[in-house]
Amino acid sequence: MADISVTAASVLASSTALTASGVAGATITDGQTIYKDTANSNVLKLADSNSTLLISTVEGIALHGAASGQPVKYVYDDPTFTPGATLTVGQTYALSSTAGGIAPIADLTTGDFPNVLFVAKSATTAVLKIVRGGVVKP
């Protein structure tokens, strides 16, 4: 399979979502996965599963776009998250090896740092609960 195709304007957090905000350290688009760059003033950048442990540690999913230096809001827990893509019911989705991307968990390969993002509960919504693996997949 491949990364889900996110329609930026369709990414929505529910009214019960847990969100946070920070400053973008790169250009970020709605629906992209982000990490907190603790080595660079805690700015938010695109996460990537086949990079370093820091870069693969997902902080959340961006709720709107931002250029470097601009504020960005993100969601990190949501029982009814709308990721803006067509989902497969029951499928578990994870951080992909494409910076900022989201893919079915089966797409992870050797050398990736697994980060579970959400499980689809319908074709358009998911239970978002980030689980950071913290180890490289052998």
Side-chain angles (χ1 to χ4, degrees), residues 83-104:
T86 300
L87 307 173
T88 301
V89 177
Q91 176 70 263
T92 301
Y93 291 87
L95 172 63
S96 99
S97 58
T98 302
I102 299 169

Side-chain angles (χ1 to χ4, degrees), residues 35-55:
Y35 78 97
K36 187 179 289 185
D37 189 350
T38 56
N40 184 15
S41 304
N42 291 324
V43 294
L44 300 169
K45 297 180 179 176
L46 300 180
D48 187 339
S49 72
N50 65 351
S51 190
T52 65
L53 176 59
L54 174 63
I55 294 171

Side-chain angles (χ1 to χ4, degrees), residues 24-119:
T27 299
I28 297 170
T29 303
D30 321 40
Q32 288 188 306
T33 56
I34 54 176
Y35 78 97
K36 187 179 289 185
D37 189 350
T38 56
N40 184 15
S41 304
N42 291 324
V43 294
L44 300 169
K45 297 180 179 176
L46 300 180
D48 187 339
S49 72
N50 65 351
S51 190
T52 65
L53 176 59
L54 174 63
I55 294 171
S56 67
T57 302
V58 176
E59 189 73 18
I61 298 175
L63 290 172
H64 59 84
S68 186
Q70 293 182 325
V72 63
K73 184 175 180 179
Y74 60 93
V75 59
Y76 60 90
D77 191 294
D78 191 347
T80 314
F81 176 60
T82 302
T86 300
L87 307 173
T88 301
V89 177
Q91 176 70 263
T92 301
Y93 291 87
L95 172 63
S96 99
S97 58
T98 302
I102 299 169
I105 198 161
D107 285 6
L108 296 180
T109 60
T110 300
D112 287 340
F113 285 89
N115 282 257
V116 173
L117 302 174
F118 54 78
V119 175

